[in-house]
Amino acid sequence: MTDDELKRLNKILRQKNTSETVANRILILKDMDANHPPVKTYKQCASDHGISETTITNVVKKFVNEGLDATINLKRSVNSDNAQRKVDGRVEAKLLEVACGPVPKGHSRWTLRLLEAQMKIILDEPISREAIRRTLKNQLRPHRSDYWCLPKKEDPEFIACMEDVLDVYELPYNPKVPVVCMDEKPYQLLGEVRDSWAMRPGDNKKVDSEYVRKGTCSIFAFVEPLGGRHHTSVREHRTAVDWAEEIKYMVDEMYPEAEKIILVMDNLNTHKPSSLYKAFNPEEARRIIKKLEIHYTPKHGSWLDIAEIELNVMTRQCLSRRISDIETLREELSAWESERNNSYALVNWQFRTSDARIKLASLYPKL
């Protein structure tokens, strides 16, 4: 490209109304321009901009064969979504405002019918459901919600606990001082009322929707992310004594030779050193505590506990079915635990403190 063409592309790139497609094409041309180094490879360019190498090839070929104007000027088909959209910017902005706002009483979410009726009231003119659907298609999904642990903004307590745990995860592997993550989850025991119909070619397995409740229990999970060691246990309850007995098992049976065990867990009310005094005499409780270095994840930050990953894997691979009694559950989890240990399953934790200070900047106090 010439210097004038490069200046023109930079000017277009700075404009707020430049579409994403045009912006991507400009970035490709700049990355692949031999007259203005550094020049990237196709693979580097695709990785930087999240596009395929085929797209890069097509853009470069179009520039070489048809010139700059043909490359950056989009010619939409008369049948494309953009061509058929009949909502101007003012109406679109109002529609997005309504769809992001509170839902009318008696409804759990916005629907096309509700939005059609509401927009008619606001604008005094009807907008078709199809026009509303096309407008929201690539911007909003009112019918879907994500459940997440939402911490408070500018929360120093959250930040302090988070960075403490992240520092622990950056420690090098040391078998004498293992890092162990612990978590627990309730599990409902369910029995079948009728036998399932076996799967056959061209047809899915049929499971009756009716079931029998057989009570509840609690599953404890321990995982050593860098050591590949896993342990699960099933208990009838999740009391302080249950937790204390599980911690004693970890200290005496899993890591008897360890000089110190760095334990990461959430701050459930039973996950306290005081629970050990409820289960054992003071000498024994103190002996166990002296082997532990405890780090708590912050409130609304349980996703920082790697043991939650273990529980999610466990649920997908072993628990996504009905299990009617606690003995069967113990047998199934024991088999699953053996498979995990034999495969030496590690956890490659990628989220670092430096990442948190960028991606979670809103949680840090403004000084």
Side-chain angles (χ1 to χ4, degrees), residues 124-357:
D124 290 329
E125 59 182 18
I127 301 178
S128 70
R129 296 184 193 180
E130 180 62 15
I132 294 173
R133 185 190 70 80
R134 290 182 181 278
T135 303
L136 299 180
K137 181 178 179 182
N138 296 319
Q139 302 187 60
L140 291 176
R141 293 181 291 180
H143 61 290
R144 299 191 64 179
S145 298
D146 289 333
Y147 288 87
W148 196 254
C149 289
L150 302 176
K152 296 186 296 184
K153 301 293 184 181
E154 301 185 28
D155 186 354
E157 183 177 353
F158 182 96
I159 293 301
C161 290
M162 177 184 69
E163 292 203 349
D164 176 56
V165 172
L166 293 178
D167 284 346
V168 169
Y169 290 161
E170 292 193 49
L171 295 174
Y173 175 61
N174 183 354
K176 290 295 184 181
V177 187
V179 174
V180 181
C181 300
M182 174 266 162
D183 201 3
E184 58 183 278
K185 67 171 288 182
Y187 185 76
Q188 186 174 25
L189 300 168
L190 301 174
E192 302 285 2
V193 175
R194 299 175 183 83
D195 292 337
S196 303
W197 293 359
M199 179 174 55
R200 59 186 180 182
D203 201 359
N204 297 332
K205 178 182 179 180
K206 300 293 191 301
V207 179
D208 193 83
S209 58
E210 188 178 358
Y211 57 83
V212 178
R213 289 187 172 91
K214 297 285 189 176
T216 60
C217 59
S218 186
I219 299 174
F220 290 78
F222 295 83
V223 56
E224 186 184 353
L226 299 181
R229 190 163 187 181
H230 308 261
H231 172 66
T232 59
S233 177
V234 181
R235 290 183 169 268
E236 295 183 1
H237 309 286
R238 50 181 297 180
T239 64
V241 173
D242 291 303
W243 178 83
E245 291 174 351
E246 290 295 329
I247 295 301
K248 177 178 170 59
Y249 178 88
M250 178 191 69
V251 169
D252 294 343
E253 303 296 331
M254 295 179 65
Y255 302 99
E257 304 298 328
E259 298 173 359
K260 179 83 68 176
I261 301 172
I262 301 177
L263 180 61
V264 178
M265 57 185 173
D266 61 26
N267 49 17
L268 192 67
N269 61 343
T270 58
H271 296 175
K272 306 294 181 184
S274 58
S275 297
L276 292 165
Y277 288 90
K278 298 179 181 179
F280 311 112
N281 61 54
E283 293 79 9
E284 179 69 356
R286 195 62 199 163
R287 178 188 70 83
I288 296 173
I289 292 173
K290 290 172 70 174
K291 288 286 293 286
L292 301 176
E293 179 184 318
I294 299 176
H295 297 261
Y296 290 107
T297 61
K299 294 180 180 179
H300 290 275
S302 58
W303 54 272
L304 287 161
D305 188 351
I306 290 179
E308 278 211 351
I309 299 175
E310 184 80 350
L311 289 175
N312 288 335
V313 175
M314 177 197 301
T315 300
R316 292 197 309 270
Q317 295 181 351
C318 182
L319 302 181
S320 57
R321 52 180 163 158
R322 293 173 187 168
I323 297 178
S324 60
D325 60 87
I326 197 169
E327 290 304 322
T328 302
L329 178 61
R330 284 174 175 149
E331 292 174 4
E332 294 292 332
L333 284 178
S334 177
W336 178 84
E337 175 190 320
S338 297
E339 182 181 329
R340 292 282 283 175
N341 283 318
N342 291 336
S343 64
Y344 198 64
L346 306 178
V347 179
N348 186 12
W349 183 266
Q350 296 289 324
F351 193 67
R352 309 296 185 195
T353 301
S354 57
D355 302 319
R357 291 175 181 175

Side-chain angles (χ1 to χ4, degrees), residues 5-174:
E5 288 176 329
L6 182 61
K7 289 180 181 178
R8 180 184 173 193
L9 293 183
N10 287 332
K11 182 178 179 181
I12 295 173
L13 201 57
R14 290 193 295 268
Q15 294 174 354
K16 294 182 179 180
N17 60 349
T18 301
S19 69
E20 183 179 355
T21 302
V22 173
N24 281 335
R25 292 186 181 184
I26 292 174
L27 293 173
I28 291 170
L29 292 176
K30 291 178 64 177
D31 286 347
M32 308 304 294
D33 182 19
N35 290 339
H36 299 87
V39 181
K40 295 182 180 179
T41 64
Y42 278 62
K43 187 174 182 179
Q44 289 173 333
C45 185
S47 176
D48 289 347
H49 306 305
I51 54 182
S52 67
E53 294 185 27
T54 303
T55 300
I56 299 173
T57 301
N58 293 337
V59 172
V60 172
K61 187 182 296 184
K62 192 173 186 66
F63 175 77
V64 172
N65 295 334
E66 302 180 34
L68 181 61
D69 288 334
T71 306
I72 62 175
N73 292 331
L74 303 180
K75 294 182 179 180
R76 297 289 188 187
S77 166
V78 294
N79 295 319
S80 70
D81 288 345
N82 284 357
Q84 293 185 30
R85 183 175 294 167
K86 297 179 180 178
V87 176
D88 60 23
R90 179 185 66 86
V91 174
E92 181 175 352
K94 197 65 184 178
L95 176 59
L96 294 176
E97 180 184 345
V98 171
C100 291
V103 181
K105 289 185 178 180
H107 297 274
S108 61
R109 59 182 176 86
W110 284 105
T111 63
L112 293 178
R113 179 181 63 82
L114 289 174
L115 287 171
E116 180 186 26
Q118 187 67 16
M119 291 303 293
K120 185 176 181 180
I121 295 173
I122 294 173
L123 301 173
D124 290 329
E125 59 182 18
I127 301 178
S128 70
R129 296 184 193 180
E130 180 62 15
I132 294 173
R133 185 190 70 80
R134 290 182 181 278
T135 303
L136 299 180
K137 181 178 179 182
N138 296 319
Q139 302 187 60
L140 291 176
R141 293 181 291 180
H143 61 290
R144 299 191 64 179
S145 298
D146 289 333
Y147 288 87
W148 196 254
C149 289
L150 302 176
K152 296 186 296 184
K153 301 293 184 181
E154 301 185 28
D155 186 354
E157 183 177 353
F158 182 96
I159 293 301
C161 290
M162 177 184 69
E163 292 203 349
D164 176 56
V165 172
L166 293 178
D167 284 346
V168 169
Y169 290 161
E170 292 193 49
L171 295 174
Y173 175 61
N174 183 354

